[in-house]
Amino acid sequence: MVFIALSLLTLLFFILNNKKSSKWPSFLLIIAYAIVFSMRDMEVADTEPYYDVYEGLIDPNMEIGYLFLNVLFKSWGFSFSGFLLIIAIFDLLFWYFCTKKALMQSNILIPLLLFMSNMGMIYYGIVLRSGMASSIMLVPISYMILSYETTSSSFRINLMNLSKQVKLFLLFGVGLYFAGLFHQSVYVVIVALALYYIPLKKKWQHI
């Protein structure tokens, strides 16, 4: 029922957002989704271990960035649900702005659909740490997508765009470092960087 209500709410906000130029409908919808994702029941898989970590139990298998955020928000007096709410807002805003930048459009439905498929509709965001890591990596990936069309297709590193490529590489490296502080599975996106720098012929770009 919760996700049926969210779907109807998404449709309503989509209609309102098309009729008005204001971005408030999109942001309000993001808040609504974040509230739902922060309402995880303790019976949902992985919720209890995450709760125990938030209450002070150190799990050596969890990355230091995520553990640091737990300590930080706990010291600020946030409840576990409040902590999840902030993370969900963070994730959704990253998905919204990065998708908007990469696709050059502000349709709220696309980032929401991508977010829901990544975080899990049934389990209210079960992939908490990997979701945060993915959100961080969206920043350099969105810039790479924008750069793709304006870069030489015959060879992606040349004297004309070397400075731009170095900046992209550094941005990718910084993003990968911080994302890795939350979940190590994010390192698979190195494949995306490798594919980006592989010389591609035009005939393959249209497949």
Side-chain angles (χ1 to χ4, degrees):
M1 288 298 296
V2 173
F3 285 103
I4 293 177
L6 269 185
S7 300
L8 294 175
L9 188 62
T10 302
L11 179 60
L12 175 61
F13 273 74
F14 177 66
I15 295 173
L16 292 175
N17 203 37
N18 279 346
K19 291 184 177 181
K20 300 179 180 180
S21 58
S22 173
K23 294 183 176 62
W24 283 110
S26 296
F27 292 139
L28 291 175
L29 188 58
I30 284 174
I31 296 298
Y33 269 73
I35 290 174
V36 169
F37 273 84
S38 67
M39 296 166 54
R40 292 172 60 162
D41 189 275
M42 292 299 292
E43 295 181 359
V44 174
D46 289 347
T47 301
E48 188 171 352
Y50 277 126
Y51 176 79
D52 291 340
V53 169
Y54 191 75
E55 291 300 320
L57 178 65
I58 302 300
D59 186 342
N61 295 319
M62 289 190 178
E63 292 77 8
I64 189 171
Y66 178 76
L67 293 175
F68 172 76
L69 282 187
N70 278 261
V71 174
L72 184 64
F73 278 86
K74 182 69 175 178
S75 67
W76 287 345
F78 281 82
S79 65
F80 181 61
S81 295
F83 173 63
L84 293 179
L85 176 65
I86 298 299
I87 290 179
I89 292 175
F90 160 83
D91 286 334
L92 283 161
L93 286 176
F94 266 60
W95 280 88
Y96 175 66
F97 284 112
C98 292
T99 304
K100 179 180 177 181
K101 186 175 187 63
L103 302 181
M104 291 179 287
Q105 57 82 43
S106 57
N107 188 338
I108 186 65
L109 290 180
I110 295 177
L112 285 179
L113 287 173
L114 292 173
F115 175 80
M116 294 287 277
S117 62
N118 179 62
M119 296 294 287
M121 292 181 62
I122 299 177
Y123 295 112
Y124 288 58
I126 189 174
V127 287
L128 187 61
R129 286 150 45 229
S130 62
M132 296 172 68
S134 300
S135 298
I136 294 172
M137 283 309 301
L138 279 177
V139 177
I141 289 175
S142 63
Y143 276 94
M144 290 173 65
I145 293 174
L146 275 179
S147 174
Y148 188 86
E149 294 298 330
T150 58
T151 307
S152 170
S153 61
S154 60
F155 189 55
R156 297 206 171 279
I157 302 180
N158 54 56
L159 294 178
M160 296 298 294
N161 60 40
L162 181 58
S163 176
K164 184 177 182 180
Q165 299 302 315
V166 169
K167 291 178 181 178
L168 279 175
F169 184 81
L170 290 175
L171 179 61
F172 189 93
V174 171
L176 189 64
Y177 171 77
F178 282 102
L181 295 177
F182 294 94
H183 205 273
Q184 295 182 6
S185 64
V186 76
Y187 293 132
V188 299
V189 299
I190 294 177
V191 177
L193 182 65
L195 292 176
Y196 178 80
Y197 283 107
I198 291 176
L200 298 175
K201 295 183 179 180
K202 290 184 178 180
K203 65 177 182 178
W204 295 108
Q205 294 180 359
H206 299 290
I207 295 180

